[in-house]
Amino acid sequence: GAWGGPGWRLPGRVLELVFSYLELRELRSCALVCKLWHRVLHGDENSEVWRSLAARCLAEEALRTDILCNVPTYKGKVRAFHHAFSTNDCSRNVYIKKNGFTLHRNPIAQSTDGARTKIGFSEGRHAWEVWWEGPLGTVAVIGIATKRAAMQCQGYVALLGSDDQSWGWNLVDNNLLHNGEVNGSFPQCNNAPKYQIGERIRVILDMEDKTLAFERGYEFLGVAFRGLPKVCLYPAVSAVYGNTEVTLVYLGKPLDG
């Protein structure tokens, strides 16, 4: 039948049913088969395919609480899960909670502990949210790191930004850190308000312009770092306070374009 006719709608519904049993890797292959399959998969980000995949791969707590409140579609929620903190690529002193998005730092003395996400970026524009759910302690850094950056070290230090493999914003003293040096304060305004526990910071990585920027609430705070290298960069955090918790949620492309 014609594209809009009943003859097309039936196979679409049948395809959707079949697709809803597949895993993400298989769905990626299916989307390449033909335009119809691609349209069935990606035309509706809240379709049964994405709903059932979200139900299978996301913890009930993640779907039930407001962790993913700024990720409106089921496809977006599945994507956020695949971009969450890595359970393997983090300090031995932290673990990722059952919800899949929150890092918990164990109370270990004289240690700084970090984590990277499962997926890094070498192109495109990407946004994610980070928020602290416990005390910041003396150093609480959010930013980006290459795969080579260390995720644990002795003492209480700004691990993110301690060498040329990472870039960080310390929320405690509002300093920007890279290569072991302070790159000025941020945001660049007088009496910038201090970070409040639970505030969601939006991080915007632009691999085309090679910049890293931050937003608080819906206020754009400005570009923090320019001239980033053309390498694979991962969202990352580092923390020092015992039992503090940090949540990171990937949002996709920034809304402004």
Side-chain angles (χ1 to χ4, degrees), residues 121-195:
F121 310 108
S122 50
E123 56 186 29
R125 300 176 70 231
H126 306 273
W128 60 92
E129 290 180 325
V130 189
W131 65 98
W132 238 262
E133 301 193 33
L136 297 177
T138 50
V139 202
V141 193
I142 62 177
I144 50 174
T146 70
K147 202 71 169 167
R148 288 166 56 195
M151 285 293 118
Q152 194 273 330
C153 71
Q154 286 294 114
Y156 301 132
V157 299
L159 180 56
L160 219 56
S162 63
D163 62 12
D164 63 354
Q165 299 297 308
S166 57
W167 295 256
W169 175 25
N170 182 7
L171 299 176
V172 178
D173 60 14
N174 280 346
N175 280 339
L176 294 176
L177 308 153
H178 175 59
N179 221 356
E181 295 167 356
V182 173
N183 276 26
S185 64
F186 185 85
Q188 286 180 328
C189 57
N190 293 331
N191 305 323
K194 280 283 198 280
Y195 177 81

Side-chain angles (χ1 to χ4, degrees), residues 30-98:
C30 290
L32 301 173
V33 170
C34 65
K35 280 184 178 165
L36 169 60
W37 285 32
H38 188 276
R39 191 175 302 186
V40 169
L41 274 172
H42 296 295
D44 176 8
E45 297 207 349
N46 282 313
S47 71
E48 190 50 47
V49 180
W50 297 110
R51 278 172 193 269
S52 66
L53 194 55
R56 291 200 304 277
C57 75
L58 288 162
E60 195 188 328
E61 186 193 337
L63 292 169
R64 208 181 56 235
T65 60
D66 68 349
I67 287 176
L68 298 172
C69 66
N70 291 332
V71 185
T73 70
Y74 282 97
K75 182 183 174 185
K77 293 179 203 297
V78 169
R79 184 179 56 199
F81 173 73
H82 284 277
H83 283 274
F85 282 129
S86 168
T87 51
N88 311 317
D89 196 10
C90 56
S91 162
R92 62 181 180 274
N93 299 323
V94 304
Y95 64 86
I96 310 308
K97 290 178 72 178
K98 216 165 62 229

Side-chain angles (χ1 to χ4, degrees), residues 180-242:
E181 295 167 356
V182 173
N183 276 26
S185 64
F186 185 85
Q188 286 180 328
C189 57
N190 293 331
N191 305 323
K194 280 283 198 280
Y195 177 81
Q196 303 297 315
I197 295 299
E199 263 187 317
R200 296 187 181 213
I201 298 286
R202 193 162 293 192
V203 190
I204 301 155
L205 175 65
D206 189 330
M207 289 307 286
E208 310 313 307
D209 283 353
K210 302 183 178 58
T211 57
L212 188 72
F214 296 97
E215 286 179 5
R216 177 167 28 211
Y218 288 95
E219 180 195 0
F220 184 69
L221 299 177
V223 171
F225 294 101
R226 298 179 190 278
L228 297 173
K230 198 74 174 148
V231 295
C232 192
L233 297 169
Y234 293 76
V237 303
S238 70
V240 299
Y241 199 89

